[in-house]
Amino acid sequence: EPEVTQTPSHQVTQMGQEVILRCVPISNHLYFYWYRQILGQKVEFLVSFYNNEISEKSEIFDDQFSVERPDGSNFTLKIRSTKLEDSAMYFCASSEGTSGGYRGLDTQYFGPGTRLTVL
Amino acid sequence: AQRVTQPEKLLSVFKGAPVELKCNYSYSGSPELFWYVQYSRQRLQLLLRHISRESIKGFTADLNKGETSFHLKKPFAQEEDSAMYYCALSVRTSGSRLTFGEGTQLTVNP
């Protein structure tokens, strides 16, 4: 069964450095998402992406964050200048987009996550 | 803004006992409700969603709009049900984002 994959599984970086988290969504899926979970807290939505542009973003997704689909398979999340509070598990998800055009009905398939540690 | 609350962080039951994981939401319109599960060292995966009205692995959940609840139930818990359970909501006006609750760690003891 196809799965969403994420690399790396764990990333350690120094405060102020740029990081790129990578995701390979399921191949026939059209919608892509990033969520994060700070240790002990809720899973929080960051951004959704469709047709090569951001379709929705949360208040968390500020100018330090960007997303890109650089080729036909990868979907990346870049954090320009990491802060201590960016330490979290970052989950990528994808969905088919077949629920009559309303994506909220789609099942989102999650990757295993990348644990980002900012020192 | 929408919100999901799972009042129990931890829930422990014995095998064969009934289990109910509580979920309450706040949203004035008609939300879509989901239960996601995360087994140990595995990824988040959809367990069930209210629109499907189905039973998965013996679990059911009924949307109660009057009480704004979507509690997850299973009449006879199994050890393999031990996992983290997240209630989540999406709303038509905000597109596709999922709003998650805090999660409930279910432990089913032998």
Side-chain angles (χ1 to χ4, degrees):
Chain A
E1 188 176 324
E3 290 184 327
V4 176
T5 59
Q6 290 185 243
T7 53
S9 57
H10 191 189
Q11 173 93 48
V12 181
T13 190
Q14 296 288 329
M15 191 168 59
Q17 295 297 302
E18 175 183 286
V19 294
I20 298 176
L21 310 183
R22 291 186 167 79
C23 169
V24 179
I26 294 172
S27 63
N28 63 334
H29 285 189
L30 301 177
Y31 298 92
F32 315 115
Y33 314 85
W34 283 102
Y35 292 83
R36 79 169 185 193
Q37 185 176 31
I38 296 170
L39 189 63
Q41 298 187 24
K42 295 185 181 193
V43 177
E44 301 172 291
F45 170 79
L46 291 177
V47 66
S48 59
F49 191 85
Y50 169 69
N51 200 25
N52 279 317
E53 59 182 30
I54 289 173
S55 52
E56 188 182 4
K57 60 182 182 179
S58 72
E59 330 51 70
I60 303 167
F61 194 88
D62 61 20
D63 293 344
Q64 294 284 64
F65 292 91
S66 62
V67 288
E68 195 178 30
R69 188 152 161 84
D71 53 43
S73 58
N74 289 284
F75 178 52
T76 61
L77 174 69
K78 184 195 288 187
I79 310 175
R80 241 177 293 279
S81 176
T82 49
K83 308 186 196 82
L84 295 175
E85 54 266 35
D86 294 327
S87 294
M89 184 73 101
Y90 288 81
F91 296 105
C92 174
S94 68
S95 66
E96 266 186 302
T98 56
S99 298
Y102 169 48
R103 303 192 301 279
L105 290 176
D106 280 351
T107 297
Q108 294 186 25
Y109 293 84
F110 283 78
T114 293
R115 181 166 297 285
L116 176 65
T117 303
V118 183
L119 303 176
Chain B
Q2 56 268 27
R3 185 178 172 86
V4 177
T5 304
Q6 293 177 251
E8 300 139 330
K9 279 200 162 172
L10 302 169
L11 185 61
S12 183
V13 301
F14 286 102
K15 178 181 167 181
V19 64
E20 181 180 52
L21 291 87
K22 292 185 167 45
C23 172
N24 289 91
Y25 66 90
S26 62
Y27 178 63
S28 54
S30 293
E32 309 294 341
L33 273 297
F34 306 84
W35 277 99
Y36 276 80
V37 61
Q38 188 172 30
Y39 299 102
S40 179
R41 294 191 203 83
Q42 292 187 30
R43 62 191 66 206
L44 268 168
Q45 55 188 282
L46 179 69
L47 180 62
L48 54 80
R49 50 189 182 172
H50 92 270
I51 199 165
S52 302
R53 299 187 184 279
E54 57 196 346
S55 171
I56 304 290
K57 298 184 179 183
F59 284 97
T60 58
D62 290 317
L63 179 60
N64 185 324
K65 290 187 179 180
E67 295 183 0
T68 59
S69 68
F70 188 57
H71 303 327
L72 184 68
K73 299 177 186 178
K74 184 169 182 176
F76 306 104
Q78 303 300 314
E79 288 178 69
E80 54 265 29
D81 296 328
S82 296
M84 190 69 151
Y85 291 81
Y86 293 95
C87 184
L89 172 157
S90 74
V91 300
R92 293 176 185 264
T93 54
S94 72
S96 54
R97 74 161 73 183
L98 287 171
T99 299
F100 284 88
E102 302 91 338
T104 298
Q105 177 68 51
L106 174 66
T107 302
V108 181
N109 299 299

